[in-house]
Amino acid sequence: MKVDRRSFLGLGIGAVAGIAISPVGAKLTDDFSIWTQNWPWTPVPPDGEVSYDRTVCHLCPGACGISVRKIDGRPVKIEGLDPYPVNNGGVCLHGIAGLQYLYDPSRVKSPMKKVNNRFVPISWDEALTMVADRLGELRNDQKPDTLACITGSDQGSVPGLFKHFMAAFGSPNYLTMPDLESWLVRTAKTLHGDAYTLGFDIDHSDFILSFGAGLIDGWGSPVACIQTMGNRRQRQATLVQIEPRLSNTAASANQWIPINPGTEADLAMGMCAVLLKENLFDPVFAQGFKGGFMRFTAMVQKEYPLDKVAGVTGISAADIQKTAVAFAKAKMPVALPGKGRGEGAQNLKEFAAVHTLNCLSGNVNKQGGTFVKPLPKYLNFPDPVQDAVALKGAAAAPLAGSVQELVTRIDKSGESPVKALLVYNANPCFALNDPSRIRAAFEKIPFKVCVTSFMDETAMVSDVILPVSTFLERMEDVPSKAGLAATVVGLSKPMIKPVFNTRSPGDVVIGMARALGGDMAKNFAWDSYDACLEQVTARIWGPLVRKGHVVLSENLPAGSVETDFEFLAQNPETVKPAGDLEFTLIPIDYFRVPPTVPAPSPFAIKTVSDRILKGTDMFVEINPQSAKNLKDGGFATLTTPAGSVPVRVHFNDGIMPGVIGMVKGLGHTLDNKYVSGKGVNINALISPKIEPDSGMDAAFGIKAGISKA
Amino acid sequence: MIHDKKAHKYGMVIDLDKCTGCGTCAVSCMSENNVPFKEDESDKKDSITWMRVYRLTNNKPFPDTEVAFLPRPCQHCGGKGDHGHSPCVSVCPATATDYGYDTGIVSQIYTRCFGCRYCMAACPYHARYFNWWDPVWPEGMEKYLSPNVSPRMRGVVEKCSFCYHRYQLAREKAYASGSDEIPEADYQTACTTACPAGAIVFGDLNNPSHKVHQIVKPDPHPDPLNPDVVGKSRNPKVFRLLERLGTNPKVYYMSEREWVRKLGDHYLDGEWDKVKNVYGSASHE
């Protein structure tokens, strides 16, 4: 065949057209995708009717309203509820990850008892009978006060039921884990008397003086605080953040004032001295000053002169003076106590001194200020009927004022003064300082019952685990806590039937009481927890069910408030970090990691920076100026009087020289490979230091050394 | 070029002065879009995070250090001259990623993708992720997966879709109600609705009644100095990442702080002062 130019071109064009219209290319890409997508298991989520249901999140004290999207009744997504008086449509990453907690690998799926150091599943009847038998023995021995109970919080009807149980049983040893709310109640009690708590109207304040309060790092009701901070600039409200490290809150503040760790109380006292010296306090509010005001005034002038405070805190005298005056001259100032999230180890002197600034400013029970408000009272439990055993036991002196104090008592005695322990919604064996000491003390207690949803560190040292439904599977009243101006009680409702063989914690308490029989059973005559809830919240039950929430104190607290300066006038000692090493180790409250209960979700862990956690390695932050021979990203050994751990180093210019920061809430050992075995629990490096006045652990940090590994 | 005047151009503005770095947007995105997780997620190079929050610092020593956070979804580039030839779309041999001229959204069709990862190489924002492993959920946890978004398989590339399924639902709702307009509130991405600080705003950049349009004030004319750049913000506080490339992202960022805006591109020494009044954002200090 003759190949001329024309036929050559024709062949070429034909070939191009052939390739273009040939199915081979498309077939090959299709085949490629099939070959590359060989997948052994393809989940096809079932489709169905979409519905939305509303409830309240109680993963943290925030108490946000949430909306749950469901497909044929199956929850698939959690979103913020709009409108809701706490969070107005906002939500945080932990709430959104709520569905992961529902199916968490570390969920306790049925009641368990420990046999030869291993947990075996048992029936609810067997579990409750076992608990009742052991607790019944204490009552038979006339020693009901040897039962102790630790709960995560003391507000709401479920802690109320535990308290009712302890009263009917005859034990004064009901303790709660320290949280911001408990510190605020303690502060209000010290300065204003019993049955008060503090709320802060940050929403309307024009000058926020924060002593390390992590307003966007999880302080108070986290979503409400973040929303307030989101609109702060539009309102032209000033935020001055005082803390040793450039936290996210400090980074977003108008001014960050670095301070030597643990000297916040001294600074607040120094600022009080400035206000008193310059007569910058509110004369009208001062009419309510009682007990020791003159002595307090004289004491702060003498003990907290500017130069001395500047030396202690590391802040220049001019800055202290300027900040104090700006605070006093602001229209609606508010001073916030509670470093980081405000939970865990804090100290009463600091809370009291910071709140005294609020009292001196006179912006108390006014818009944009501090609310000294009565503790919310919407629950009406019947008085417990106590038999002779219970009356005797309940009259005994409490063993301790805090969990740490209780642990010290057990530690020091040969035989544990606590014979049985109930733990609900708390994880002291992880969340408190020196957890190994707490575990050791718990080992000395002959019988421990853990009422929990997850196989956490405290559950692991228990003898019996009574598994409770998560917040998405149960009904409960959820009061808002921790620093909000208004008190909102929400009603959480079951979004799904319990996934495992779990019960609501209220039903567990009622079940234990019934199994005990006698007067205990009579005290808990409700058919179920739901019936109990309806009865004890009778005052607000109607609107609670209808609207899903009730706002208890919407208006400014009424009546005058008296302020007692006796406590501060004695100039209580400032708790200093223990030890004499070169650096100070401080915990970092990192919003993406919850510090206590529950442990972080897999989603939350996924968002943790690789400058905090790499593989299983934990990073500590240190200022490059004080890092000496350490290398950024390199390995080092961190030593404190409590122990020594291998860490990696992250150079951060935003932390004071001489300070080492470590994120709190990592280092879990529970049975969840997505969450456990990652990093170090900072609490293991800090030994508790009890503040004499509050009886609480005030060891916010500890002295530490760091050397190249 | 979008000639249809009814065409949408969905975009986002993220206020970096409001962003607290809390990570809620990232988790909301994972939860909405069936994003999986692994036992170890600390190697961020293979961690699938459609929405990733970066930490920025001004690199000044103590105590002048400042920190800001930058959430980064897929930027949904309009490509040079905003013609729809986004970097990833142009290079995909399987047409697995495509530009929606009616929405401005860059799509990803998993069943077409055979994992060549050209798009990942082409994306200047590292917004695309390759599935190296079969996703595995702990036993029972697959029950929370949403049917609106297909779970992805090993061997494909995935990325933020501006919650396209939410667009579909909003569009169906609008059709059903006899309207051809989707109200602003009806189509919002999961990260936007979740952000507790209210830092993320989402809407139609072509619609003057939408908040994004009002904040961005997009310039309808090409940049006189670089005709590839279209839709530049006339708000001096607003900037886009690597804007000079001419990829024309539909995600805009906003900050009062000059050092934050400056981090939007790799400026050579002395370059910023020359370009700051032309590119991205003017100086306010």
Side-chain angles (χ1 to χ4, degrees), chain A residues 336-388:
Chain A
L336 302 178
K339 299 182 282 279
R341 283 190 173 89
E343 296 173 343
Q346 300 279 345
N347 71 81
L348 182 60
K349 177 181 177 182
E350 185 179 318
F351 269 73
V354 172
H355 181 54
T356 303
L357 282 170
N358 288 320
C359 295
L360 292 178
S361 80
N363 202 27
V364 173
N365 290 354
K366 289 182 190 160
Q367 200 188 36
T370 311
F371 294 175
V372 178
K373 49 183 191 175
L375 281 172
K377 273 191 188 151
Y378 64 94
L379 294 171
N380 282 315
F381 274 96
D383 288 334
V385 179
Q386 293 171 306
D387 54 18

Side-chain angles (χ1 to χ4, degrees), chain A residues 36-40 69 74 77 79 91 93 100 227 230 248 592 603 606 608 615 623 653 673 678, chain B residues 18 21 24 28 32 36-37 39 42 44 48 62 65 110 113 134-135 143-145 152 154 156 166 196:
Chain A
T36 52
Q37 294 170 13
N38 52 355
W39 203 23
R69 186 161 83 228
R74 175 174 65 91
K77 177 82 196 282
E79 290 172 333
V91 66
L93 72 162
Q100 296 204 314
Q227 284 176 334
N248 294 357
R592 302 181 192 179
F603 276 161
K606 185 167 170 158
V608 171
N623 192 303
D653 283 303
K673 57 192 175 186
K678 296 175 190 298
Chain B
K18 280 189 177 175
T24 304
S28 183
E32 178 80 22
F37 50 89
E39 277 179 44
S42 68
K44 301 299 178 191
I48 297 176
F62 176 86
T65 322
Y110 308 118
C113 173
D134 288 333
K143 285 189 193 133
Y144 77 52
L145 295 179
R152 279 76 58 191
R154 179 176 69 199
V156 302
R166 290 189 172 205

Side-chain angles (χ1 to χ4, degrees), chain A residues 28-30 32-33 36-48 50 69 71 74-80 89-94 96-97 99-101 103-105 216 223 226-227 229-231 233-234 244-246 248 251-252 256 258 499 591-592 602-610 613-616 621 623 625 650 652-657 673-675 678, chain B residues 17-32 34-45 47-49 52-53 55 59-69 93-94 109-115 133-156 165-166 190 193-198 256-257:
Chain A
L28 275 177
T29 49
D30 185 37
F32 272 144
S33 56
T36 52
Q37 294 170 13
N38 52 355
W39 203 23
W41 167 72
T42 313
V44 181
D47 210 344
V50 181
R69 186 161 83 228
I71 305 285
R74 175 174 65 91
V76 297
K77 177 82 196 282
I78 293 178
E79 290 172 333
V91 66
C92 81
L93 72 162
H94 305 300
I96 293 176
L99 296 173
Q100 296 204 314
Y101 289 112
Y103 304 105
D104 193 309
I216 58 177
V223 174
I226 291 178
Q227 284 176 334
M229 290 297 112
N231 64 36
R233 279 177 197 272
Q234 275 118 300
R245 177 181 169 269
L246 185 76
N248 294 357
S252 79
W256 168 44
V499 176
F591 192 71
R592 302 181 192 179
F603 276 161
I605 285 286
K606 185 167 170 158
T607 65
V608 171
S609 157
D610 57 355
L613 191 68
K614 186 91 181 166
T616 56
E621 289 183 6
N623 192 303
Q625 290 173 35
H650 167 43
N652 179 6
D653 283 303
I655 191 164
M656 275 178 97
K673 57 192 175 186
Y674 301 94
V675 171
K678 296 175 190 298
Chain B
D17 297 333
K18 280 189 177 175
C19 176
T20 66
C22 68
T24 304
C25 53
V27 170
S28 183
C29 170
M30 293 177 208
S31 172
E32 178 80 22
N34 297 335
V35 175
F37 50 89
K38 307 194 302 279
E39 277 179 44
D40 178 15
E41 288 280 1
S42 68
D43 185 352
K44 301 299 178 191
K45 289 197 293 295
S47 176
I48 297 176
T49 43
R52 185 168 171 195
V53 183
R55 182 175 182 267
N59 276 328
K60 286 194 180 166
F62 176 86
D64 299 320
T65 322
E66 286 182 40
V67 168
F69 293 91
I109 302 156
Y110 308 118
T111 44
R112 281 187 193 166
C113 173
F114 52 73
W133 294 278
D134 288 333
V136 175
W137 284 271
E139 194 191 341
M141 206 182 259
E142 74 280 356
K143 285 189 193 133
Y144 77 52
L145 295 179
S146 159
N148 296 351
V149 184
S150 2
R152 279 76 58 191
M153 56 294 272
R154 179 176 69 199
V156 302
H165 59 286
R166 290 189 172 205
T193 52
C195 177
E256 298 264 356
R257 292 169 282 185

Side-chain angles (χ1 to χ4, degrees), chain A residues 411-461:
Chain A
D411 229 4
K412 283 187 180 155
S413 20
E415 194 182 328
S416 168
V418 178
K419 301 293 179 215
L421 176 71
L422 281 174
V423 181
Y424 164 63
N425 198 27
N427 188 3
C429 292
F430 177 85
L432 295 179
N433 284 334
D434 205 353
S436 61
R437 193 179 73 115
I438 294 169
R439 272 198 301 275
F442 279 17
E443 294 290 353
K444 284 171 83 176
I445 301 173
F447 186 63
K448 299 158 294 273
V449 182
C450 198
V451 184
T452 180
S453 297
F454 307 101
M455 187 60 98
D456 58 25
E457 287 79 1
T458 305
M460 278 190 268
V461 299

